[in-house]
Amino acid sequence: MTTTKALLFGRGRERAVGLVVGFTVAVGVVAAATLVASAVDHRTVAILSARTLPVVMVYAPAPIAAVGAYARCGGPACLAVGVVPVVVLGTLLAVASALGVPGVDGGAWIADLMGSFLAGSVASAFVGFCAGVTAALVADLVGVGSDE
């Protein structure tokens, strides 16, 4: 498989699925911890999770997508890393709203919040994907990486 095709479409499905599922689990744990901390109203945990959630939602997709691109997981998997945080957080907020968790109402602000996070996390994943592709091409050019 040529380097370009491997970078754009991926080489191994197992690697790509592992990348997306692993990141989904990590985001789910952080988002659930944030909701639990908000419901329990424990100040220290709430402050830590309030600082951790934006990092996972907006900044983490870039390095994850860069590693995925360098490992030749493919563009769709790397960009899915940008969509994962929004889907996970939106699902958790919808479930929390349906269960009546204090502080989580089902207002229209959830759609605005999800749209903002989606734009940020997909842009972050795209930048990371471009960086990973560049790193892989440079490594192949220098002879450090291998196409096979």
Side-chain angles (χ1 to χ4, degrees):
M1 179 176 286
T2 63
T3 299
T4 306
K5 189 174 178 183
L7 287 170
L8 290 178
F9 301 113
R11 182 178 293 158
R13 182 186 308 204
E14 295 82 22
R15 238 186 285 179
V17 170
L19 178 81
V20 174
V21 169
F23 190 59
T24 302
V25 169
V27 170
V29 167
V30 170
T34 302
L35 283 176
V36 168
S38 297
V40 173
D41 197 33
H42 193 274
R43 252 174 126 46
T44 306
V45 176
I47 289 171
L48 288 175
S49 59
R51 290 184 181 165
T52 306
L53 186 64
V55 169
V56 170
M57 293 289 292
V58 179
Y59 301 119
I64 301 292
V67 168
Y70 189 79
R72 290 167 175 79
C73 290
C78 292
L79 293 178
V81 165
V83 177
V84 161
V86 176
V87 171
V88 170
L89 184 63
T91 303
L92 283 174
L93 286 176
V95 168
S97 177
L99 294 176
V101 173
V104 179
D105 58 350
W109 64 271
I110 290 177
D112 293 338
L113 179 70
M114 293 299 106
S116 298
F117 274 138
L118 180 66
S121 64
V122 169
S124 177
F126 180 73
V127 168
F129 175 70
C130 291
V133 166
T134 303
L137 290 174
V138 167
D140 284 348
L141 184 66
V142 173
V144 177
S146 141
D147 189 26
E148 301 305 313

